[in-house]
């Protein structure tokens, strides 16, 4: 019994080991995101590792993180800067129509609704774009389109991920202090790890099967590009 308990292949130890990896990922993500402009590459690298963790694939967390960080740096940075600029535009317009243009009018109501819808689209696209960047090789424009496509096609999964990603920090900050140590120690990589369970299920629908594993559905092929996960 004791031999099984201290066996590192024991599910309990593997579970603890994954949380140790997430803690390490949180440090790497925070350090590599300090310049702000590199946050896209570091977020992509986090998802590269968490997708491997969910699949129980072997590999060094540090080496895998920096491998993805280096390989995706240029394209992930372009995507990140595009998302930052678009977020700034959406937030400015919402601020303008809500806080400055305060006189009631049909036009004001329509514009607020439009930019709230754009903010929701932005959230959905951002949720999938960095996992897609680490998983598939595609041009920036195609990666952004695919992220939006998946967010809309898998709307219930997208909503669930948004609830988790926004709900856990909100609960920790405003409701219960019990979650605060977990959020502090594991941070964004914990959310990425939870998201990765849904992402693996979704991405498997768009990934070519290897020989002997079944057929790849041709109607799903347009989203794949080349697979980048090892």
């Amino acid at each position: 019994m004791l031999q099984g308990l201290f066996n590192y292949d024991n599910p309990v130890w593997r579970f603890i080991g994954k949380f140790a990896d997430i803690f390490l990922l949180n440090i790497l993500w925070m350090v590599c995101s300090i310049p702000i402009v590199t946050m896209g590459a570091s977020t992509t690298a986090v998802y590269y590792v968490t997708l491997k963790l969910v699949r129980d694939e072997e590999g060094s967390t540090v080496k895998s993180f920096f491998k993805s960080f280096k390989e995706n740096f240029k394209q992930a940075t372009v995507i990140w800067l595009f998302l930052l600029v678009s977020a700034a535009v959406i937030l400015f317009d919402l601020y303008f129509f809500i806080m400055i243009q305060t006189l009631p009018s049909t036009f004001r109501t329509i514009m607020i609704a439009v930019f709230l819808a754009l903010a929701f689209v932005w959230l959905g696209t951002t949720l999938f774009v960095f996992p897609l960047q680490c998983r598939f090789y595609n041009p920036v424009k195609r990666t952004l389109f695919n992220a939006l496509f998946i967010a809309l096609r898998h709307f219930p999964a997208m909503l669930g991920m948004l609830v988790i990603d926004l709900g856990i920090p909100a609960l920790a900050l405003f409701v219960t202090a019990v979650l605060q140590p977990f959020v502090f120690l594991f941070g964004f990589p914990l959310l990425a790890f939870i998201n990765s369970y849904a992402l693996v299920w979704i991405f498997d629908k768009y990934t070519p099967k290897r020989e002997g594993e079944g057929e790849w559905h041709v109607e799903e092929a347009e989203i794949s590009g080349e697979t980048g996960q090892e």
Side-chain angles (χ1 to χ4, degrees):
M1 181 177 178
L2 288 177
Q3 184 178 1
L5 180 62
F6 291 102
N7 184 352
Y8 287 105
D9 289 328
N10 184 294
V12 175
W13 282 110
R14 291 171 63 183
F15 179 79
I16 293 172
K18 287 182 179 181
F19 271 85
D21 289 328
I22 295 169
F23 171 73
L24 179 57
L25 273 178
N26 191 35
I27 296 174
L28 293 173
W29 181 74
M30 288 190 295
V31 171
C32 293
S33 297
I34 288 175
I36 304 299
V37 72
T38 59
M39 188 174 286
S42 59
T43 300
T44 301
V46 165
Y47 272 111
Y48 180 78
V49 177
T50 57
L51 287 169
K52 291 170 75 72
L53 288 175
V54 167
R55 291 180 179 274
D56 291 321
E57 295 178 357
E58 300 292 333
S60 165
T61 296
V62 176
K63 288 182 179 179
S64 295
F65 180 91
F66 284 109
K67 174 182 182 293
S68 177
F69 187 88
K70 180 180 178 181
E71 290 180 353
N72 294 289
F73 181 83
K74 183 177 179 180
Q75 190 156 310
T77 300
V78 172
I79 291 171
W80 170 240
L81 292 177
F82 170 79
L83 290 174
L84 275 182
V85 171
S86 58
V89 171
I90 293 171
L91 290 175
F92 173 80
D93 287 323
L94 278 174
Y95 177 81
F96 177 82
F97 285 107
I98 293 175
M99 303 301 296
I100 298 177
Q101 187 67 30
T102 56
L103 293 177
S105 68
T106 302
F107 176 74
R108 175 177 179 267
T109 302
I110 292 174
M111 293 309 296
I112 291 175
V114 166
F115 286 109
L116 283 175
L118 286 175
F120 186 76
V121 169
W122 186 94
L123 285 172
T125 302
T126 303
L127 197 62
F128 288 98
V129 72
F130 295 114
L132 278 170
Q133 176 60 36
C134 80
R135 187 66 182 87
F136 301 102
Y137 293 120
N138 280 303
V140 169
K141 183 178 179 180
R142 186 66 183 178
T143 300
L144 288 165
F145 172 81
N146 286 346
L148 177 59
F149 172 80
I150 288 182
L152 295 176
R153 186 167 188 178
H154 300 277
F155 193 77
M158 184 265 286
L159 279 181
M161 292 165 68
L162 279 179
V163 168
I164 290 171
D165 290 356
L166 299 177
I168 291 179
L171 284 174
L173 188 60
F174 299 111
V175 180
T176 174
V178 175
L179 290 175
Q180 290 179 6
F182 291 95
V183 173
F184 176 78
L185 290 174
F186 302 112
F188 165 73
L190 176 61
L191 301 177
F193 178 70
I194 297 171
N195 289 344
S196 291
Y197 281 94
L199 291 168
V200 164
W201 175 76
I202 292 171
F203 288 172
D204 281 350
K205 298 177 180 294
Y206 304 99
T207 305
K209 297 287 184 70
R210 294 173 182 171
E211 188 175 352
E213 293 184 353
E215 296 297 328
W216 182 30
H217 298 289
V218 177
E219 62 270 19
E220 310 285 12
E222 69 275 6
I223 202 167
S224 293
E226 299 178 27
T227 54
Q229 183 86 16
E230 291 185 354

